[in-house]
Amino acid sequence: MKKTLVGATLGALALGLAVAPNGAKADEIGACLITKTDINPFFVKMKEGAQAASVANGVSLSTFAGKIDGDHETQVQAIESCIASGAKGILLTASDTKAIVPVVKKARDAGLLVIALDTPLEPIDSADATFATDNFKAGELIGQWAAAKLGDEASDAKIAFLDLTPSAPSVDVLRDQGFMKGFGIDIKDPNKIGDEDDPRIVGHDITNGNEEGGRKAMENLLQQDSEINVVYTINEPAAAGAYEALKSFGMEEGVLIVSVDGGCPGVLNVKDGVIGATSQQYPLDMAYKGIEAIKSWAESGEKPANSEGLNFYDTGVNLVTGDPAEGVPSIDIEEGMKRCWG
């Protein structure tokens, strides 16, 4: 039976946070997982990884989630609760990667190890470490694949960008800019969405990372240009919504949709032709390794190291498609299903 944390956690509950008990004994290591939502299959699998690692490593885990993607204030409240609980570390997927920095600093100053999962903070060294997909590479792979599939027609493409939230967290920017590089679009400011001047880009709209948001964003962009033939989406729920919008206009044929996630529903959508290709990431590994790192920190004071040549720990990415493109590394749908989640 779930018990609530006392004190600061009561305020968190009032804001709609999903919380699991710390319940830590005096000699136990406490850790917190704070995700953007508890509905998205990506974060569900991340929570499973953290829970499995906590059991295996004797760590007492508390989990928190915002009500929707972009719910920054509830994440702030969750960090405050983790500090008050005496936790040794926090695993965080931040909704607002800039605004969260002051309270992350407060946690680090209190002696907690803070590891960003999936979504780097801005600046990235605001956290002690980042365990993530190479999100720029994930975007680059789907951009390369889309350009290769279009061939000579890529020069006249009409591209819709279905992004995440108005705050444009780092994961949003990295995937977006990676896609541009892969497709052959000139990147202006690599830290900014929407400043490009390539005439092939119809426009950007936000989805909040969910199916309904993807549908509405696709409808909005189709009003700007009904000849869109390439759709980049921040994640697979947004891609599913975009497909439904295209289908409602009888446009589902002849439009390439590419995405990032690699969840089982998304890989099945690749199999069914809803999504042409997706970059698969591995949230369970992120969280599992994160819990191991918190335990190591609590016992030895040692912080996790970055992958060689990177400013974060790379948890891997693979392009999944049933229609491989020459020169673009990928795995097939069968292998994608073996590795998928959700």
Side-chain angles (χ1 to χ4, degrees), residues 8 75 77 92 124 161 165 188-189 192 199 246 261 317 319:
Q75 291 196 322
Q77 187 70 49
L92 170 68
I124 193 168
F161 281 79
T165 61
K188 301 302 180 183
D189 184 343
K192 185 177 181 181
L246 290 165
D261 260 350
V317 63
L319 184 75

Side-chain angles (χ1 to χ4, degrees), residues 11 20 89 234 325 332:
I234 180 65
D332 61 22

Side-chain angles (χ1 to χ4, degrees), residues 137-250:
K137 181 180 179 182
E140 187 175 13
L141 284 169
I142 56 175
Q144 289 172 336
W145 182 87
K149 290 290 104 179
L150 286 177
D152 292 341
E153 294 179 6
S155 61
D156 297 316
K158 297 281 185 81
I159 308 169
F161 281 79
L162 273 59
D163 298 313
L164 188 57
T165 61
S167 66
S170 56
V171 65
D172 202 5
V173 176
L174 288 165
R175 295 179 189 179
D176 192 293
Q177 304 294 292
F179 173 88
M180 289 187 194
K181 181 183 177 183
F183 199 85
I185 295 170
D186 182 34
I187 297 174
K188 301 302 180 183
D189 184 343
N191 299 309
K192 185 177 181 181
I193 286 176
D195 65 340
E196 65 280 343
D197 55 12
D198 193 302
R200 293 175 291 181
I201 297 177
V202 172
H204 296 255
D205 208 331
I206 60 168
T207 66
N208 290 313
N210 60 52
E211 188 168 338
E212 178 63 15
R215 184 185 65 77
K216 289 181 178 179
M218 190 74 253
E219 290 174 351
N220 291 340
L221 291 170
L222 284 170
Q223 290 178 11
Q224 296 183 38
D225 194 324
S226 62
E227 296 183 357
I228 289 169
N229 63 351
V230 177
V231 180
Y232 155 88
T233 66
I234 180 65
N235 64 8
E236 290 159 359
Y243 179 82
E244 289 303 315
L246 290 165
K247 188 176 180 180
S248 71
F249 289 102

Side-chain angles (χ1 to χ4, degrees), residues 90-177:
I90 296 171
L91 305 179
L92 170 68
T93 61
S95 289
D96 191 321
T97 48
K98 298 184 184 77
I100 202 75
V101 168
V103 73
V104 166
K105 182 179 185 301
K106 181 178 179 180
R108 294 177 69 188
D109 289 347
L112 282 76
L113 182 77
V114 180
I115 299 176
L117 298 185
D118 176 59
T119 305
L121 301 187
E122 297 178 78
I124 193 168
D125 61 3
S126 299
D128 292 290
T130 300
F131 289 6
T133 306
D134 187 335
N135 283 294
F136 189 91
K137 181 180 179 182
E140 187 175 13
L141 284 169
I142 56 175
Q144 289 172 336
W145 182 87
K149 290 290 104 179
L150 286 177
D152 292 341
E153 294 179 6
S155 61
D156 297 316
K158 297 281 185 81
I159 308 169
F161 281 79
L162 273 59
D163 298 313
L164 188 57
T165 61
S167 66
S170 56
V171 65
D172 202 5
V173 176
L174 288 165
R175 295 179 189 179
D176 192 293
Q177 304 294 292

